[in-house]
Amino acid sequence: MTDRDMETDHLPENTGGAGHGAVTTVAEDPFQDPGLPAHRPRVTDLDPRAAKRAERQVALLFMIAVVGVIGSMVCYTFVPNTKVHRFTGLGTVNMNNLALGLCLGFAFLALGCGAIHWARTLMTDVDLVQERHPMKSDPESTAFAVSEFKQGVADSGFTKYPLIRRSLLTAMMVLPLPAVWLLRDLGPMPKDALRHTLWAPGMKLVNPNTGQPLRVSDVTVGTLALANPANLNDDPDERIDNLAKAAVLVVRLPQEALKGSEAQKKKQWDWSVDGVMAFSKICTHVGCPVALYEQQTHHMLCPCHQSTFDLSDDGKVIFGPAARSLPQLPITVDADGNLVAVSDFREPVGPSFWERG
Amino acid sequence: MSATTAPGAGAAGQYDDVKTDPVSSWADERLGIYKGSKNLIRKVFPDHWSFLLGEIALFSFILILLSGVFLTLWFNPSMGEVEYHGSYLPLDGVSMSQAYASTLNISFDVRAGLLMRQVHHWAALIFIMAIMVHMLRIFFTGAFRKPREINWLIGFTLMVLGLLEGFAGYSLPDDLLSGTGLRIASGVILSIPIVGTYVSYFLFGGNFPGHDFIPRLFTIHVLLIPALIVGLVTAHLILVFVQKHTQWAGPGKTNDNVVGLPLLPVYTAKAGGFMFVIFGVVFLLAGLVQINPIWAYGPYTPDQISAGSQPDWYIGFLEGSLRMMPNWEWNIWGHTLSFNVLIPSLIVPGILFTALAVWPFLEQWITGDKREHHILDRPRNRPTRTAFGVGGITFYGVLWLAGGNDLIATHFHLSVEALTWTFRVLIFLGPVIAFWCTKRIALGLQRRDKDKVLHGRETGIIKVSLEGEFTEVHEPLSAGERYRLTAHEVQKPLELGPATDENGVERPGNRALKLRAKASEAMFSDHVETTVEEYKEIEAGHGHH
Ligand code: HEM
Ligand code: FES
């Protein structure tokens, strides 16, 4: 029993290819295979009445499927799509959707259960045994295939004419290049687009909802205002692309709240108007808009991966995966008292990129 | 009992009275269908619940195809801006992309549109879940061993394609949630050294989000990836047919046979029935449980976001990986290397997935086993492999949990910061602990099996001897059960012979061999063996009493 046909030529030490000394010993199944157990008949095999009952059950399930399918078409036609209903546990439900889902769901379930019930009760459950054969080709086929292939290669002269062989290989090597080359027009070269936004000297900060220019008096300590450049809608085609870089948030900090080195505090204050200062809204991690403002601490949180920026410390990262501060936009007031940009951002906004430096 | 021994050429006239119907004959004369199908009709399939996992993936994919085609009839993959005036009044007059507007239209104005969207999305979730669990089944039972390594790679590719396809589909409606996902993807692409900026510009046709991406993604989602998936699924199934399904050890089942029920009728009825059960479950879910209510998120705009939003579950591990990464970034020679993005979103998943893909080859190199294997391993009998698997799942699980750190924090009133640090520790510690525990448990289960084989099964009946001693009656196992529990090889660690031959020359490839021996030692040094001798001894002992 221990030599259950464990063909020695399949043992690892012979084919392992590991060289001398590599022996992986393998123990055999210690107990003898008693062979396939005898078939145990089911009730439906023995009792014709049970079989008849199973037949009726299967048929009933199939008929439920028919009812469900027809029901779904009836519901499609007569249950209005606009009708909604509140169910506890399910929330507001579109009745047309509910009816269709239930009809088709139960139709499919019934069909499936019918087929499985049929298989389990009335079809054979006597195990069949079939042989497996190794995937490997038999030696005769191998020999034949190899000789056919050799003949084919010889007929082609592939080995005989090196010039053809090498030039063909070269052709094959250059062939895939156009597959990349011809994709060039997928997009423009980035150039320095990632370094610029719509902000420019004198560009007004406007309220995104009303389009009205933002004034110093609109921003009080503890509130968070949003602002877009006034020319955002000038080019409707580029509006969203421009917004993705130019969106800023505006907060007001008392001077004594500022932290960090004197130079940094001075810069931050100088770029503000009486403590009203603008920061890029685009997270320096991978670009989500930062959104949650904690008034007391002046922390700004990005909901995507919880990077937290301290606006009172020049937008420094105090927690989370972002590596760089939120860039500040230098602002001032124009003659009419509207907040305007002094210039574009002084560094690229948003996620890092290779050329950023 | 051997079912189908296909006939060769018989004596002339022997088959004259075989009746064929005209349609089949017509087809046979052109396609040779009798020749082609004679071995298929009664092909035997072994049965086990764990063999249904792949079927769930297949059937949910069929449903995805059908519902997806329905959606294409109304979906408009354009980023052109329109003002919405449909039946969903809260968004009336809002400017949005046509992609988003048409998804609202499908949800509110096309009858059965919402149903099909929900069928599509539920089926997608089930599809990916089923693929993954199916893959774990293959892993833990060793079904990837020779000759099935190619099918492992095909399956692995299918899993990756499924993830990409899901992400692509999820991004199509251009709602706030999906746009945010794309924004993150664009940030990840930007972090790739040297080419990142260019790749991003070429993919998006310029600045993010641009006007080209959703139409491009649409083609990828409805044509490119589905075509690849259909092709690979076909190859996958053909290989299952050709190589025949694996089976569990048991009486009558050997490495050289297949025991089960025939394709026609039993397997066809069961699998076909199961397909409709899956359809039924998905339709009930789609009718009853709302999924991805894009109208509640609003259209995508890059300056807005909703807190606490979560991607589809299978993206969660990437999200968590990004969240727990420390903020390392280097600036060298005027170039930026964003390790804070690169490592969690590309390098870690890259390593995880590569390890998964090459596992069969790695294991084969360690065992040096080049035989075909058709009998499945019980996970406990391969403690080290099982422990590796559970370690991997733990790693993935920690990443996935970290993807919901904000939800966990608010739900359990913890600080996100403390949680993130916990995850940073757990990502290293968790897999190690899981590995160790799994190995102990597996060996414990092996010992229990051994006990059962040697002493029989506990019956729960307590016997009192004349001396007043209590013993539990053990009922010996049936021969079949005993065989089932012991019919597995106990692999021993590789033993190395002398490193030099008789002439003192070092054997070739000595280093690799030593490494292999070490790996083999780690993999196989712990095992519990049950031998016939032990059994016989105990039997003999019983005989004396
Ligand atoms: C493995 C395969 C697939 C997966 C995992 C998948 C997944 C998804 C997901 C998650 C969505 C978002 C649906 C939503 O909630 O609105 C989606 C949308 C969509 N899918 Fe697929 N999909 C697959 C194959 C297909 C195929 C083959 C087609 C068409 C032939 C298709 C057509 C569509 C369309 C038109 C949409 C957008 C419509 C909408 O969102 O309402 N999908 N897909
Ligand atoms: S995008 Fe802001 S933390 Fe990741």
Side-chain angles (χ1 to χ4, degrees), chain A residues 283 285-288 302 304-307 321:
Chain A
C283 184
H285 181 220
V286 284
C288 290
C302 176
C304 275
H305 315 100
Q306 288 98 36
S307 288

PDB file of all heavy atoms in Angstrom, chain A residues 283 285-288 302 304-307 321, ligand 2:
ATOM      1  N   CYS A 283      -5.486  70.530  -1.475  1.00  0.00           N
ATOM      2  CA  CYS A 283      -4.581  69.839  -0.564  1.00  0.00           C
ATOM      3  C   CYS A 283      -3.278  69.493  -1.280  1.00  0.00           C
ATOM      4  O   CYS A 283      -3.279  69.076  -2.437  1.00  0.00           O
ATOM      5  CB  CYS A 283      -5.260  68.569  -0.061  1.00  0.00           C
ATOM      6  SG  CYS A 283      -4.317  67.669   1.154  1.00  0.00           S
ATOM      7  N   HIS A 285      -1.455  67.105  -0.684  1.00  0.00           N
ATOM      8  CA  HIS A 285      -1.223  65.657  -0.709  1.00  0.00           C
ATOM      9  C   HIS A 285      -1.527  65.131  -2.102  1.00  0.00           C
ATOM     10  O   HIS A 285      -0.637  65.039  -2.935  1.00  0.00           O
ATOM     11  CB  HIS A 285      -2.090  64.974   0.368  1.00  0.00           C
ATOM     12  CG  HIS A 285      -1.904  63.495   0.445  1.00  0.00           C
ATOM     13  ND1 HIS A 285      -2.959  62.631   0.635  1.00  0.00           N
ATOM     14  CD2 HIS A 285      -0.800  62.735   0.369  1.00  0.00           C
ATOM     15  CE1 HIS A 285      -2.499  61.393   0.682  1.00  0.00           C
ATOM     16  NE2 HIS A 285      -1.186  61.429   0.507  1.00  0.00           N
ATOM     17  N   VAL A 286      -2.789  64.826  -2.387  1.00  0.00           N
ATOM     18  CA  VAL A 286      -3.120  64.434  -3.754  1.00  0.00           C
ATOM     19  C   VAL A 286      -4.269  65.248  -4.326  1.00  0.00           C
ATOM     20  O   VAL A 286      -4.894  64.834  -5.301  1.00  0.00           O
ATOM     21  CB  VAL A 286      -3.408  62.928  -3.882  1.00  0.00           C
ATOM     22  CG1 VAL A 286      -2.114  62.141  -3.843  1.00  0.00           C
ATOM     23  CG2 VAL A 286      -4.362  62.440  -2.817  1.00  0.00           C
ATOM     24  N   GLY A 287      -4.566  66.389  -3.726  1.00  0.00           N
ATOM     25  CA  GLY A 287      -5.397  67.347  -4.429  1.00  0.00           C
ATOM     26  C   GLY A 287      -6.863  67.467  -4.076  1.00  0.00           C
ATOM     27  O   GLY A 287      -7.595  68.173  -4.758  1.00  0.00           O
ATOM     28  N   CYS A 288      -7.339  66.783  -3.029  1.00  0.00           N
ATOM     29  CA  CYS A 288      -8.718  67.017  -2.626  1.00  0.00           C
ATOM     30  C   CYS A 288      -8.838  68.451  -2.110  1.00  0.00           C
ATOM     31  O   CYS A 288      -7.850  69.038  -1.691  1.00  0.00           O
ATOM     32  CB  CYS A 288      -9.109  66.079  -1.491  1.00  0.00           C
ATOM     33  SG  CYS A 288      -9.263  64.375  -1.993  1.00  0.00           S
ATOM     34  N   CYS A 302      -8.167  68.124   5.713  1.00  0.00           N
ATOM     35  CA  CYS A 302      -8.581  67.583   4.419  1.00  0.00           C
ATOM     36  C   CYS A 302      -9.319  66.287   4.685  1.00  0.00           C
ATOM     37  O   CYS A 302      -8.773  65.371   5.289  1.00  0.00           O
ATOM     38  CB  CYS A 302      -7.371  67.322   3.545  1.00  0.00           C
ATOM     39  SG  CYS A 302      -7.818  66.547   1.991  1.00  0.00           S
ATOM     40  N   CYS A 304     -10.053  63.890   2.835  1.00  0.00           N
ATOM     41  CA  CYS A 304      -9.649  62.696   2.073  1.00  0.00           C
ATOM     42  C   CYS A 304      -8.750  61.780   2.882  1.00  0.00           C
ATOM     43  O   CYS A 304      -9.041  60.594   3.043  1.00  0.00           O
ATOM     44  CB  CYS A 304      -8.977  63.092   0.770  1.00  0.00           C
ATOM     45  SG  CYS A 304     -10.185  63.387  -0.526  1.00  0.00           S
ATOM     46  N   HIS A 305      -7.634  62.319   3.387  1.00  0.00           N
ATOM     47  CA  HIS A 305      -6.735  61.465   4.176  1.00  0.00           C
ATOM     48  C   HIS A 305      -6.311  62.154   5.461  1.00  0.00           C
ATOM     49  O   HIS A 305      -5.258  61.882   6.005  1.00  0.00           O
ATOM     50  CB  HIS A 305      -5.523  61.062   3.341  1.00  0.00           C
ATOM     51  CG  HIS A 305      -5.883  60.623   1.958  1.00  0.00           C
ATOM     52  ND1 HIS A 305      -5.753  61.457   0.870  1.00  0.00           N
ATOM     53  CD2 HIS A 305      -6.421  59.481   1.487  1.00  0.00           C
ATOM     54  CE1 HIS A 305      -6.187  60.839  -0.211  1.00  0.00           C
ATOM     55  NE2 HIS A 305      -6.596  59.643   0.124  1.00  0.00           N
ATOM     56  N   GLN A 306      -7.129  63.099   5.883  1.00  0.00           N
ATOM     57  CA  GLN A 306      -6.956  63.771   7.180  1.00  0.00           C
ATOM     58  C   GLN A 306      -5.662  64.551   7.353  1.00  0.00           C
ATOM     59  O   GLN A 306      -5.179  64.707   8.460  1.00  0.00           O
ATOM     60  CB  GLN A 306      -7.080  62.780   8.329  1.00  0.00           C
ATOM     61  CG  GLN A 306      -8.478  62.317   8.556  1.00  0.00           C
ATOM     62  CD  GLN A 306      -8.708  60.990   7.899  1.00  0.00           C
ATOM     63  OE1 GLN A 306      -7.823  60.158   7.862  1.00  0.00           O
ATOM     64  NE2 GLN A 306      -9.882  60.795   7.363  1.00  0.00           N
ATOM     65  N   SER A 307      -5.073  65.012   6.281  1.00  0.00           N
ATOM     66  CA  SER A 307      -3.953  65.923   6.473  1.00  0.00           C
ATOM     67  C   SER A 307      -4.496  67.174   7.149  1.00  0.00           C
ATOM     68  O   SER A 307      -5.556  67.672   6.783  1.00  0.00           O
ATOM     69  CB  SER A 307      -3.335  66.297   5.135  1.00  0.00           C
ATOM     70  OG  SER A 307      -2.638  65.197   4.626  1.00  0.00           O
ATOM     71  N   PRO A 321      -0.686  62.696   5.811  1.00  0.00           N
ATOM     72  CA  PRO A 321       0.292  62.326   4.788  1.00  0.00           C
ATOM     73  C   PRO A 321       0.768  63.479   3.901  1.00  0.00           C
ATOM     74  O   PRO A 321       1.707  63.286   3.134  1.00  0.00           O
ATOM     75  CB  PRO A 321      -0.449  61.284   3.960  1.00  0.00           C
ATOM     76  CG  PRO A 321      -1.885  61.612   4.129  1.00  0.00           C
ATOM     77  CD  PRO A 321      -2.029  62.206   5.494  1.00  0.00           C
TER      78      PRO A 321
HETATM   79  S1  FES C   2      -5.720  64.801  -0.472  1.00  0.00           S
HETATM   80 FE1  FES C   2      -5.723  65.894   1.339  1.00  0.00          FE
HETATM   81  S2  FES C   2      -5.007  64.463   2.713  1.00  0.00           S
HETATM   82 FE2  FES C   2      -4.920  63.367   0.884  1.00  0.00          FE
END
